[in-house]
Amino acid sequence: MNFLSPQSILPNLPNFRYQQIINWIWCGLLTDWSGAKNLPQDLRAQLSQILPLTINAKVLTSADKKTAKALITLGDGSAIETVLMKHSDGRRTACLSSQVGCPMGCVFCSTGTMGLKRNLTAEEILLQALLWQRELAKVGEKLSNAVFMGMGEPLLNYAAVMEAIKILHEPKIFNIGSHHISISTCGILPAMKKLGQERIKVNLALSLHAPDDKLRTQLMPVNKTYRLKPVLAEALKYYKLTGRQVMLEYVLIKNVNDAPEQAHHLADLIKDLDQTAFIVNLIPYNDTKIFKSSTGEAIKKFKEIVSRAGIKTVQRYRFGANIKAACGQLASRKS
Ligand code: SF4
């Protein structure tokens, strides 16, 4: 697929033609070249042969219509998943994958069980956004937000993710404001440092999931390399550099990380740094064979303890659990 660089398959066209082709793909949202009325007919016919606009995707929509999940099969047969969330305040958020699988092996995450197949190219990342833009256009809507929280660790595919962000942000293409683009990382410390230096400042979310190194290492092997305190200190630097509060993601798993003393421990950890720099996002876990979600009561208690310590705490709405589109459930299943 050459949606970003038609030059590579059609080398001898004048520059304005490339611009027209790119506009039709990304802004005109064409699914068939016959609609590209300002292109000569022979070029349209040629494009239909060498640059078909079909995205090979199977889309599932949740019963409440608030979430859709797509399984996209790429040119080499690899499959990735992407999710569209329709928020009641009008936001339309694409949750994007950055890798086929993930090498990080977090034990509570379906993607983590797959291992890494390969990195996605910038174009393959953007294809997911394009698919949702096309879907939304059918009802007169547009994407307003993009989050790198799908399959993969985005900071391990840094260059492609940054290239994709440029195009998501580009006013003439997706026009998504930098405040509406988020990257979620399990804590790849050197790349977090680099991210703070980027021209486009995006929101950073750090997957924490445990208030101490012992438990975090059990749940997230990355913690053997990048320990909790240095990673949190780097997140604080990101806040100071960008003025963006860092979201600390904490998935609540029954009898694993949801005890009141663990909530106190988490609050202390944050207070020792700077409680204004962080927002704690409590995410009810979606049950798997190994782990279960915390009870409503345990979540309430946990939230109370952290909030009472003066730390902003939010609780994520459970998007798409019934279509396995929720946090930690993306795993390119073909069924
Ligand atoms: S939680 Fe994120 S970093 Fe961890 S295995 Fe899953 S996709 Fe990878």
Side-chain angles (χ1 to χ4, degrees):
M1 223 168 242
N2 290 281
F3 284 2
L4 288 178
S5 54
Q7 297 87 328
S8 53
I9 44 165
L10 280 165
N12 297 315
L13 295 179
N15 273 341
F16 77 95
R17 284 282 181 232
Y18 296 125
Q19 204 46 58
Q20 286 173 323
I21 291 170
I22 285 176
N23 281 348
W24 279 119
I25 297 171
W26 297 100
C27 309
L29 307 175
L30 282 191
T31 53
D32 176 343
W33 284 110
S34 61
K37 298 295 181 205
N38 59 357
L39 299 182
Q41 205 168 354
D42 57 341
L43 179 57
R44 279 187 259 156
Q46 198 183 3
L47 284 165
S48 304
Q49 291 300 315
I50 62 173
L51 191 59
L53 292 169
T54 323
I55 300 175
N56 186 353
K58 195 167 128 190
V59 178
L60 284 177
T61 305
S62 64
D64 63 8
K65 305 257 190 285
K66 286 183 181 161
T67 316
K69 178 175 81 165
L71 177 78
I72 300 181
T73 305
L74 301 169
D76 66 349
S78 300
I80 51 165
E81 292 189 333
T82 174
V83 176
L84 173 70
M85 290 166 282
K86 293 188 168 195
H87 302 263
S88 47
D89 59 7
R91 279 174 299 141
R92 299 293 177 256
T93 303
C95 176
L96 306 173
S97 292
S98 53
Q99 298 182 308
V100 183
C102 182
M104 301 317 295
C106 303
V107 296
F108 51 82
C109 169
S110 298
T111 313
T113 61
M114 294 173 64
L116 176 69
K117 303 264 161 58
R118 68 172 173 87
N119 277 338
L120 294 180
T121 63
E123 183 169 299
E124 288 167 336
I125 294 170
L126 290 164
L127 208 60
Q128 304 164 57
L130 179 62
L131 175 79
W132 297 128
Q133 197 76 309
R134 285 181 184 177
E135 290 292 315
L136 288 169
K138 292 176 190 164
V139 289
E141 294 180 342
K142 280 182 179 173
L143 279 180
S144 61
N145 296 59
V147 295
F148 285 85
M149 294 185 183
M151 295 165 67
E153 164 51 60
L155 294 187
L156 288 183
N157 187 12
Y158 195 88
V161 166
M162 290 306 137
E163 198 184 331
I165 285 175
K166 258 189 234 154
I167 292 170
L168 290 168
H169 186 52
E170 168 58 46
K172 288 195 190 124
I173 308 184
F174 285 97
N175 194 25
I176 300 179
S178 64
H179 278 87
H180 298 149
I181 300 174
S182 304
I183 286 188
S184 173
T185 179
C186 64
I188 310 294
L189 199 142
M192 288 167 69
K193 245 188 228 311
K194 212 165 148 192
L195 191 66
Q197 307 300 326
E198 292 292 336
R199 185 181 59 82
I200 304 173
K201 309 284 187 215
V202 298
N203 303 316
L204 180 66
L206 172 64
S207 297
L208 213 62
H209 309 315
D212 61 80
D213 276 319
K214 187 163 176 260
L215 178 61
R216 193 162 189 267
T217 301
Q218 281 167 19
L219 297 176
M220 304 174 72
V222 67
N223 198 66
K224 285 183 213 154
T225 313
Y226 302 119
R227 311 291 276 181
L228 194 52
K229 283 192 177 161
V231 164
L232 273 171
E234 195 55 48
L236 177 61
K237 277 192 203 154
Y238 191 83
Y239 165 70
K240 288 190 173 157
L241 210 64
T242 62
R244 306 283 178 91
Q245 284 178 303
V246 175
M247 186 75 90
L248 299 179
E249 309 278 351
Y250 197 103
V251 70
L252 283 156
I253 308 172
K254 188 174 184 180
N255 299 333
V256 173
N257 63 358
D258 64 347
E261 48 288 10
Q262 287 166 314
H264 282 294
H265 200 149
L266 176 66
D268 290 344
L269 200 62
I270 296 169
K271 276 187 353 196
D272 282 349
L273 292 166
D274 174 356
Q275 67 243 54
T276 63
F278 302 102
I279 300 171
V280 173
N281 186 16
L282 297 174
I283 309 159
Y285 188 68
N286 289 290
D287 290 359
T288 57
K289 281 184 196 135
I290 309 170
F291 297 115
K292 299 281 166 250
S293 174
S294 303
T295 61
E297 206 178 317
I299 296 172
K300 194 168 161 241
K301 181 97 193 135
F302 199 98
K303 188 166 186 245
E304 263 170 28
I305 295 169
V306 180
S307 307
R308 237 187 286 130
I311 299 158
K312 187 168 175 195
T313 311
V314 294
Q315 192 180 325
R316 188 190 284 175
Y317 170 78
R318 268 175 196 250
F319 271 102
N322 70 339
I323 52 166
K324 291 203 184 304
C327 182
Q329 290 190 322
L330 302 187
S332 75
R333 292 170 200 82
K334 293 235 176 193
S335 56

